[in-house]
Amino acid sequence: MNVEEIIKTDRSIPLKSRTIIHFMLVNNKINEEISAVLKPYDVSLQQFNVLRILRGQKGRPANLSTLNERMVTKMSNTTRLVDKLLSKGYADRKTCPSNRRKVEITITKKGEEELKKMDLAMNQAERKILQNFDQKELEQLNTLFNKF
Amino acid sequence: MNVEEIIKTDRSIPLKSRTIIHFMLVNNKINEEISAVLKPYDVSLQQFNVLRILRGQKGRPANLSTLNERMVTKMSNTTRLVDKLLSKGYADRKTCPSNRRKVEITITKKGEEELKKMDLAMNQAERKILQNFDQKELEQLNTLFNKF
DNA sequence: TTACAACAATTGTATATACAAATGTATGTG
DNA sequence: CACATACATTTGTATATACAATTGTTGTAA
């Protein structure tokens, strides 16, 4: 991946700017790859993330603030995100009996089954995205990311 | 930045998955920072990018396909992106006289003036985002990003 | 007990982005 | 020249996301 070539520029870019641009280009590539593998399941990355959180609850229902707290990318509208999961039959929502302000969201049987398939697809995507990295380089990446 | 803490999980995440999640968390942070500094100028990162490309043309008008080609993040609707720049008086658009399918987009005086200020703000953001990195680490990052 | 603040989720609205279809223009072939 | 094809942009439509305002509920202090 050559930055200057991709954005078709001939001038030299200051290292900091170049790093940010480089990061964004990688981000685009990752997003493309992930959207592609999730597409057959008709869920966005965010929806997939919520499904995984719900499964991680192991039966214990989650409310919206919990979901928001645990999502990789926090959203300003988890209600509507969950709406999408409901309409696909992947999740279930009812108001919490002990506190009717809250809502209890769970993953359905169908949701779990689909999620299993999505997991495989995601693993594939991850392997593809990181195919050129060995163990040591991955650790290096994580170390550097810690500095952000 | 501790991944497990941010997404509030206690289980250990496989290194590849962790790397992708870590990347996304960094991405969120970068986006927040950049949106924040561009907000006063009422332009999105994409619009800012187009303005910079237009300036880089040094008077030579650009058409939509050229813009798309050079953008860091390719968009499926550059027409409407340019609409926004027009409505702010930052850019100008006319149909190309030699080929009326094409369109000639240029940056306006006002656009250049505002862009100068945005540049300063962006530099600030870049410095802030990368404040914990020294030269060598930045080069390391760029080297690793090349592997994607 | 009422009044008020804090909480949790939902709704309204605006903008951003993705994708497909449509429009208008230019070019090449019989 | 008529036609088909390719090109460049625009428009329509659907979804995603951001932010603010609203609704309904609970807890609490006077």
Side-chain angles (χ1 to χ4, degrees), chain A residues 6-8, chain B residues 64-72 74:
Chain A
I6 293 177
I7 66 171
K8 311 252 190 304
Chain B
L64 284 179
S65 8
T66 308
L67 289 184
N68 229 325
E69 210 175 56
R70 304 196 179 174
M71 285 174 72
V72 175
K74 272 74 186 148

Side-chain angles (χ1 to χ4, degrees), chain A:
Chain A
M1 170 179 289
N2 183 295
V3 178
E4 289 76 7
E5 194 181 316
I6 293 177
I7 66 171
K8 311 252 190 304
T9 188
D10 44 2
R11 69 195 181 79
S12 89
I13 311 166
L15 186 55
K16 290 200 181 189
S17 308
R18 190 181 193 279
T19 307
I20 303 284
I21 292 175
H22 211 159
F23 187 94
M24 289 176 177
L25 291 173
V26 172
N27 186 246
N28 294 340
K29 202 170 175 191
I30 292 179
N31 278 338
E32 272 170 37
E33 207 63 63
I34 291 183
S35 317
V37 300
L38 287 183
K39 187 153 219 171
Y41 305 98
D42 190 32
V43 293
S44 66
L45 178 55
Q46 307 275 35
Q47 291 172 30
F48 170 72
N49 189 201
V50 167
L51 279 179
R52 283 214 288 201
I53 295 169
L54 290 177
R55 179 177 55 190
Q57 291 287 98
K58 298 187 195 308
R60 272 194 318 133
N63 56 42
L64 284 180
S65 7
T66 308
L67 289 184
N68 228 325
E69 210 175 57
R70 304 195 180 175
M71 284 173 73
V72 175
T73 300
K74 273 75 185 146
M75 280 239 315
S76 53
N77 214 324
T78 315
T79 297
R80 278 192 268 248
L81 204 163
V82 170
D83 286 344
K84 295 293 160 61
L85 294 177
L86 294 193
S87 72
K88 283 164 197 143
Y90 293 170
D92 198 37
R93 171 171 60 191
K94 46 173 88 85
T95 56
C96 172
S98 69
N99 185 341
R100 283 166 47 216
R101 281 176 298 186
K102 293 190 185 176
V103 96
E104 293 190 334
I105 302 154
T106 48
I107 187 169
T108 62
K109 190 85 191 150
K110 182 180 171 197
E112 290 204 11
E113 283 162 11
E114 291 301 299
L115 184 52
K116 236 179 255 172
K117 298 183 212 157
M118 292 178 215
D119 275 331
L120 292 178
M122 270 298 270
N123 277 331
Q124 235 182 307
E126 285 174 1
R127 274 202 307 274
K128 189 170 173 196
I129 292 167
L130 298 171
Q131 62 186 335
N132 298 324
F133 292 85
D134 60 28
Q135 171 93 4
K136 187 168 145 277
E137 287 166 336
L138 289 178
E139 280 161 8
Q140 243 179 68
L141 264 184
N142 278 275
T143 307
L144 286 167
F145 287 164
N146 272 327
K147 293 183 155 293
F148 277 95

Side-chain angles (χ1 to χ4, degrees), chain B residues 5-63:
Chain B
E5 194 181 314
I6 294 178
I7 66 171
K8 309 253 191 303
T9 189
D10 44 1
R11 69 192 181 81
S12 88
I13 312 166
L15 186 55
K16 288 198 182 189
S17 307
R18 190 180 193 279
T19 307
I20 303 283
I21 293 175
H22 210 159
F23 187 94
M24 289 176 176
L25 292 173
V26 172
N27 186 245
N28 294 341
K29 202 169 174 192
I30 292 180
N31 278 339
E32 272 170 38
E33 207 62 63
I34 290 184
S35 317
V37 300
L38 286 184
K39 187 154 217 170
Y41 305 98
D42 190 33
V43 293
S44 67
L45 178 54
Q46 306 274 35
Q47 291 170 32
F48 171 71
N49 190 201
V50 167
L51 279 180
R52 282 214 288 202
I53 294 170
L54 290 178
R55 180 179 54 191
Q57 291 286 98
K58 299 189 194 309
R60 271 196 317 135
N63 56 40

